[in-house]
Structure formats: structure tokens, C-alpha cells
Amino acid sequence: MTTLAFISLSLPAMLAGLVLLSLPILAHLLNRKAKRTLVFPSIELMTAAAASQASMFRLRRWLLLLLRCLAVTLLVLGFAQPLWIGREARAGESAHSAGVVVLMDISASATQLAGGIAAIQTIRTSAARTLDQIATGSDTANLILGSARPTAAFTRMTANHDAVRQAILAAQPVAERMDLPASLSLAGQMLEGVRGRRHLVIVSDFQATNWSDIVTPGPSGQPPAWAAKLPPGTTVTLIAPDTTPPPNLALSHAAARPATPIVARAAQLTTRVTNHSDAPAAATVGVLIDGRTAGSMHVELAGRESRELSFPATFDTEAEHRVTFTLGRD
């Protein structure tokens, strides 16, 4: 992580783009015109005016060059993803800070479907949630994409947690088996320079056989062989995302009977609830009239079952009323 004063660059390699500063300078040099001697009538006022315009023109060209160089510099710094770190955060970079490396399994098993949802989606979500547990400013993080050729999202640990989160959400699975020893070695290299606490978070479905050394405890009193690839004192956390498909309930066909209720007369408000998943599901369906609760009903549905629910209602005034059906917290 390259630090300029209190500014940290998540992608310092992007500073190589400053070589583009040569383009506006080159354009400035090419735009210079060769000197020519022009013969004018010997009128003093015209000569003074021409000299004044030439000076203004030269000043304007230098200002234009400066603005072009500034635009290129700001563009390059934008790609380098700068992050401002305050004095308090810098002072906290001690034993109280932490470095977290997320090892994300993007091997072929991540393409499998569970309840119509790809495993990579739940892995992304679980990996991104780990960033919510680390302190902004003082704690650093990085992402290791576990595959046959594991790679780090950033060359060094970074305090730009948003950039790490974006890298997690952009990760795509590959059609190959993960090289676990190489992935652990790369994670150890990232954690080696952390001065505070070190954490390795492994997010995977743990279906591949090469995870047996991780999930199976070693002999009593002996550290597992893979622990030697990590710096001493590294805490390892295993996260297996829940692949159980969530309930998929939906409301539709909201209606009133009669279609135009009569004041002070009993009416019925109806809606249809449908379970679009194969597993049984249960939920509470409620109805609000003008923002006030007018009734609720608990319903249990089998897989793919649909049922119509009816709620009694009475309107006391002749006006336009707003009726809202709710499904759980929706």
C-alpha cells in the first residue's frame, strides 16, 4: 500500500499511467509555430497591440497545458483509488489494528445450483459480509480468489474496504479445481506485513476433496500442516454459506368485493398468496387501510400451492382509501 501523506492508494500500480502526461506536453510542443518575420507599416500603435496579443496568447497556451496535465493526473489518481486516512486512524495502526484476508472459493464447485441459486452468489454475499466486521480506517483487508492459479485482488493490504467489496461482488467462478496450498501461501504473504492481529476468512461450500485437511482436525497437540503457510498467530475462520433456498412467497390479484364498496356496508378485501418454491412455507399476510392495520392471517402453503385470502372491511367515509397487503416484512 503506497501512502502519500495521509492518502492511501489501493492500486498504486496505476500510477504508471502518469506517463500519459507526455501527451499534452507533446501536443504543446507540436502546436508551436515557427517564427516568421512579418513586415508591417511603421505604425506604433499597431505594433504595440500585436505585442500585447502575442503575450496573452503565450500565457493562454501555458494555462491550457497546465489544465491538460492536471486532467491526466486526476484521471490516473482516480484509477489508483485513493483513500483518505485521518490522523486518528494512522495513530491506531498498531497492535490494536487488524488485517483480514478473505479467501474466496471460485472453483468449479461454485457453479453448482441449490434451489435455483448458484453457489457463487451465496459465497459472494457471505464474503462481503465479513467486511462489515472490520474497523474503517485502521483495519486493512485483501481478497484472494482461490482457483488453480490463485490471485490477489490487490498487490498489498488496503484500507479501502469498498474496493475489496467491489472485487468480491465482481468475482466469477472458473471451471477448474482450486490449488489450496498455493491459495494459503498467497494469503500468508498478504498477512506477513500486518503489524496487528491477523485473520484469514475462508468462504467456500467445502464440497471439494482438497478441503479435507482444513475441515478435519489434526492430531491432538499438533498444528495442521497447512498452518505453516500462515504467519504465527493467524486466526482462521471457515464460513460455509447456507445453500437452503429461501421461501419464495408472493401476493397477487388484490381486489375489493364489491368493486366499489358502499359506506357503512360490509365488504371483502381479497388477495392471492402463492408459494413459488418446492418446499412448504408459512407467512403472515396482513392488510392496511389508510396506513392502519385492518387484519392479518397466518397461512401455511405446500410447495407450489396458491390460495386466496379474504379480509372483512367496513369504510366509514366516502373517499378514496389506500389498501395495502403485506407479506411478512414486505
Side-chain angles (χ1 to χ4, degrees):
M1 180 170 56
T2 301
T3 304
L4 304 176
F6 296 105
I7 297 180
S8 170
L9 300 179
S10 301
L11 297 174
M14 287 295 178
L15 291 180
L18 291 177
V19 71
L20 296 176
L21 286 173
S22 60
L23 296 180
I25 296 176
L26 181 61
H28 174 79
L29 295 176
L30 292 177
N31 196 35
R32 297 181 63 182
K33 298 180 180 179
K35 293 183 178 180
R36 294 182 299 172
T37 302
L38 300 176
V39 180
F40 289 97
S42 57
I43 301 177
E44 187 175 356
L45 293 178
M46 292 184 62
T47 303
S52 175
Q53 290 180 2
S55 299
M56 290 290 295
F57 181 72
R58 285 195 298 268
L59 178 60
R60 188 169 61 182
R61 287 180 59 197
W62 282 109
L63 289 176
L64 182 58
L65 174 62
L66 178 62
L67 291 176
R68 287 172 175 172
C69 292
L70 180 61
V72 172
T73 302
L74 293 177
L75 182 63
V76 172
L77 290 178
F79 279 103
Q81 298 185 9
L83 176 68
W84 177 262
I85 301 177
R87 294 179 181 271
E88 297 80 3
R90 292 283 297 175
E93 289 185 354
S94 60
H96 298 290
S97 62
V100 179
V101 170
V102 179
L103 173 54
M104 185 173 166
D105 185 359
I106 61 169
S107 61
S109 62
T111 61
Q112 298 182 5
L113 298 178
I117 301 176
I120 187 62
Q121 296 184 19
T122 55
I123 290 175
R124 286 197 204 105
T125 302
S126 299
R129 285 176 181 170
T130 62
L131 300 179
D132 299 333
Q133 310 300 322
I134 60 181
T136 302
S138 59
D139 293 350
T140 57
N142 205 342
L143 170 67
I144 303 297
L145 298 174
S147 62
R149 291 170 295 277
T151 57
F154 303 93
T155 56
R156 299 181 182 180
M157 303 290 287
T158 176
N160 193 341
H161 303 163
D162 288 337
V164 179
R165 188 187 306 274
Q166 292 174 10
I168 289 174
L169 297 179
Q172 298 295 332
V174 295
E176 54 189 18
R177 182 178 179 180
M178 181 177 68
D179 188 340
L180 180 58
S183 300
L184 292 173
S185 296
L186 183 55
Q189 295 175 20
M190 295 293 109
L191 291 170
E192 192 67 41
V194 175
R195 290 186 291 176
R197 293 169 286 115
R198 302 181 178 98
H199 300 279
L200 172 63
V201 180
I202 302 176
V203 186
S204 171
D205 54 10
F206 298 105
Q207 293 185 7
T209 57
N210 57 355
W211 286 105
S212 58
D213 294 337
I214 294 288
V215 298
T216 303
S220 177
Q222 296 183 7
W226 56 266
K229 300 180 181 296
L230 303 175
T234 301
T235 302
V236 180
T237 303
L238 307 180
I239 298 179
D242 185 9
T243 57
T244 303
N248 189 4
L249 298 177
L251 296 176
S252 63
H253 298 85
R257 297 176 183 171
T260 304
I262 301 175
V263 176
R265 294 284 186 88
Q268 296 292 323
L269 302 176
T270 63
T271 185
R272 181 174 296 277
V273 57
T274 304
N275 180 10
H276 293 281
S277 62
D278 295 326
T284 299
V285 179
V287 61
L288 305 176
I289 299 179
D290 297 331
R292 296 189 299 270
T293 301
S296 64
M297 188 179 304
H298 183 77
V299 59
E300 297 182 358
L301 300 174
R304 305 297 173 179
E305 182 183 358
S306 181
R307 188 182 306 173
E308 184 177 86
L309 304 180
S310 179
F311 299 88
T314 302
F315 298 93
D316 298 328
T317 59
E318 185 176 351
E320 185 174 308
H321 299 276
R322 182 180 181 88
V323 177
T324 305
F325 291 99
T326 64
L327 179 61
R329 295 183 178 179
D330 294 339

